[in-house]
Amino acid sequence: MCGIIAYVGTRPCAQLLIDGLRKLEYRGYDSAGVAVHNGKEITVRRAAGKLSTLQDLVDREPVAGTVGIGHTRWATHGPPSERNAHPHVSGRVAVVHNGIIENHVELKHKLTSLGRVFTSDTDTEIVAHLVDMAMGRGLSLVEAVRDSLRELRGAYAIAVLAKDDPTTIVVAKHASPLVLALADGAVLAASDVPAILAHTREVVFLEDGEIATLTQSGAKLETVSGEAVVREPTTIRWSLVQAERGGYKHFMLKEIHEQPRAIEDTLRGRVQLETGSCIADEIGIAEPEARAIQRVVLLACGTSFHAAMYGRYLIEQLARVPAVVDLASEFRYREPVVAPGDLVIAVSQSGETADTLAALKEAKRQGARVLAVVNVQGSAIARAADGVLYTHAGPEIGVASTKCFTAQLAAMALVSVHIGRARGALSESRAKELLEELVRVPEKMRAALEQDAAVQLISRELVSAQNALFLGRGVSCPVALEGALKLKEISYVHAEGYAGGEMKHGPLALVDRSMPVVCLLPDDPSLEKMLSNVQEVRARDGRVLAIVNDPACATALAQWSITVPKTAPEFSPLVTTIPLQLLSYHVADQRGTDVDQPRNLAKTVTVE
Ligand code: F6R
């Protein structure tokens, strides 16, 4: 996830672009840049690190011009560095891009064979080359962008500036957000509303497959195939602070709602439905390496530990390799035994968690191969590992992890299918079936998010609870643990998650009418057993909130139920997690806690 901005007008725009980028920093902040046209040529300023570094650079080396583009980056292809910072330039063209070009490897290969020289590791640079080549064939800027878009697969919001056309910027969008702003004597485009609110409240949201030509006299909106589009502007009524959170009251709520997009981005370009295969090259585990794996050891902390637990279930089930999961903080201090045949998977949102990093290093020291599943490009864990599978959830601001958790679950699903296929444990047809279902999961998550109002109503009944239990079996067990962690960390209500089978071995003693028990009842082979757990809770007067696929299965027993769409049992955690996140959010909000920054916690735990 990155932020882009474009300006065509009468005011000197370098500072104006940086001010706009500051409002988009929540979308990424590992490097930034601007390109400004002064009527004769384009000047680019780029810097690795936070936006303040770019600001210092532009203060030292000012840039003149009233037409320009800017970018704040969240690295997806290539580490955060000056050479990978946008704008990317090829010949006469400068481009900023938010999204992922899926077919970048193939296009880069083609362009290299045509003699184009790449100066970055990014997928974006391809767009600059394509547009430059098309303009070289005599096409206008807009025609050249249109022509280039036909070659691209994936997600993009782009803004393109050309030396030969000093008064125009062309923007286009597919599957990444882009909004146009029509101000007095100027037109802007940006990834999100906060970047343009200082200029106007009149905006036009671009739809997928649309392209706009921005000049001082306005914006010409068309489809990529050239049909004119007429769209009335929308008036933004949010305050600036609200707008930064996309209109949501808290970043956590916004991030909960971003999950379908985060999963789509994490799966993008990594799933081949035709062959039932996924993520081959990226993680460096080809067929011989996969066959040589004796055991998988998953290491993580907190929420990421719950994703690792899910990974263990799935790896054993789909890849038929023994798998164990361990808290990184325990692993590193208990003289663990690791063998060269072990594949160690370190799971971390931040990629900086001290215990996970130390555990990874210990595993490497003992000769294991280490794969990192992390969200932050170039982070310490990503650098220390032998291979990396990045989750593309974008920056997570709320301290309580939500979208990074479900993106980790999606990554675990990819790893399991990949190893299962490579070892021959999973047939091609079964892998295809699973992957087809996996790519449908974001739609089901969207439907689950529609239960927000219903969850909020239920949360009113739970707001005064002192304790809560969460129960699940199989792949739903880590979901129960995560539901309990989420509730306790942001609402400060004491909550415990248990495997359903453990109830009789102790926790049942806690159940009485004051105890809400959240039961995960997706339609899977453990459903009957879970329904017995529900009976046991009801027999002790406990109050049950059932998360179900089929409302009929809980009506007689549960006080409350939330229905979410059914998916393959292997992937149900990606959907059933959503009502639990919403529940903890609404309970915390009603209790008046600091949802985005709960007491005593920090987003990145770099101390042991
Ligand atoms: C809880 C949460 C934490 C983190 C844990 C590990 O919502 O976010 O439990 O999961 O601190 O952090 P990472 O994933 O960055 O290694």
Side-chain angles (χ1 to χ4, degrees), residues 300-306 347-354 356-357 373-376 381 396 398-402 404-405 408 482 485-486 489-490 598 601-605:
C301 301
T303 288
S304 298
F305 174 74
H306 299 145
V347 186
S348 173
Q349 173 276 129
S350 61
E352 301 289 346
T353 302
T356 311
L357 181 60
V373 173
V374 296
N375 196 50
V376 180
I381 291 175
E396 196 173 61
V399 164
S401 186
T402 52
C404 284
F405 174 64
Q408 288 167 345
E482 173 60 10
L485 175 62
K486 219 76 312 169
E489 76 177 309
I490 61 166
L601 301 180
K603 187 71 188 158
T604 305
V605 186

Side-chain angles (χ1 to χ4, degrees), residues 126-450:
I126 285 160
V127 185
H129 284 286
L130 288 172
V131 178
D132 184 51
M133 278 164 55
M135 290 189 82
R137 295 196 302 273
L139 299 187
S140 68
L141 176 59
V142 65
E143 286 164 349
V145 173
R146 204 192 300 282
D147 189 70
S148 306
L149 294 182
R150 290 196 191 101
E151 305 251 4
L152 305 183
R153 277 206 319 272
Y156 53 80
I158 53 167
V160 190
L161 181 62
K163 183 168 182 250
D164 311 356
D165 195 347
T167 56
T168 307
I169 291 174
V170 173
V171 298
K173 155 188 160 59
H174 180 73
S176 293
L178 196 62
V179 59
L180 299 183
L182 313 168
D184 230 6
V187 182
L188 293 98
S191 297
D192 200 358
V193 170
I196 41 96
L197 271 191
H199 304 272
T200 178
R201 289 184 167 266
E202 298 297 299
V203 305
V204 173
F205 291 96
L206 255 72
E207 299 289 343
D208 285 353
E210 290 179 351
I211 185 165
T213 309
L214 318 184
T215 57
Q216 233 186 70
S217 51
K220 184 176 172 206
L221 190 55
E222 299 163 283
T223 63
V224 173
S225 47
E227 292 139 36
V229 174
V230 181
R231 184 163 309 129
E232 286 301 310
T234 307
T235 307
I236 299 294
R237 302 196 188 282
W238 315 321
S239 71
L240 194 56
V241 175
Q242 279 173 320
E244 277 165 26
R245 296 189 294 250
Y248 291 101
K249 189 170 175 192
H250 295 98
F251 276 108
M252 180 183 176
L253 188 59
K254 174 169 180 273
E255 287 158 4
I256 290 173
H257 282 267
E258 278 173 356
Q259 289 179 105
R261 198 269 316 140
I263 304 309
E264 279 162 359
D265 284 352
T266 299
L267 299 181
R268 195 181 304 288
R270 289 169 166 165
V271 173
Q272 275 109 43
L273 292 180
E274 313 73 41
T275 54
S277 56
C278 54
I279 51 161
D281 304 333
E282 199 174 338
I283 56 173
I285 305 174
E287 211 174 293
E289 287 87 19
R291 285 188 183 280
I293 299 169
Q294 303 287 318
R295 182 176 75 139
V296 177
V297 179
L298 295 119
L299 302 173
C301 301
T303 288
S304 298
F305 174 74
H306 299 145
M309 266 180 93
Y310 167 75
R312 177 199 177 184
Y313 281 97
L314 229 58
I315 286 168
E316 291 202 328
Q317 198 174 329
L318 303 182
R320 307 302 299 145
V321 193
V324 292
V325 58
D326 211 341
L327 291 166
S329 53
E330 287 298 304
F331 177 89
R332 66 181 286 201
Y333 290 121
R334 60 140 222 273
E335 298 186 30
V337 180
V338 183
D342 286 344
L343 170 68
V344 170
I345 305 183
V347 186
S348 173
Q349 173 276 129
S350 61
E352 301 289 346
T353 302
D355 282 326
T356 311
L357 181 60
L360 176 164
K361 287 184 175 163
E362 174 59 23
K364 260 189 102 164
R365 196 185 63 77
Q366 294 195 33
R369 178 189 185 82
V370 179
L371 170 67
V373 173
V374 296
N375 196 50
V376 180
Q377 275 251 350
S379 52
I381 291 175
R383 291 197 308 274
D386 300 305
V388 189
L389 179 63
Y390 284 110
T391 49
H392 292 311
E396 196 173 61
I397 311 289
V399 164
S401 186
T402 52
K403 62 177 181 171
C404 284
F405 174 64
T406 44
Q408 288 167 345
L409 300 183
M412 289 297 143
L414 289 174
V415 171
S416 310
V417 173
H418 173 67
I419 299 179
R421 278 297 290 134
R423 291 172 69 91
L426 207 54
S427 70
E428 185 180 326
S429 61
R430 179 77 186 119
K432 276 185 191 168
E433 243 171 58
L434 283 166
L435 292 176
E436 272 162 18
E437 189 52 32
L438 188 58
V439 296
R440 282 197 286 267
V441 162
E443 265 322 300
K444 297 183 177 178
M445 297 173 90
R446 283 193 179 94
L449 286 164
E450 282 166 18

Side-chain angles (χ1 to χ4, degrees), residues 461-476:
E461 310 242 11
L462 301 184
V463 73
S464 53
Q466 303 292 312
N467 302 286
L469 285 175
F470 289 71
L471 302 182
R473 286 175 186 249
V475 287
S476 295

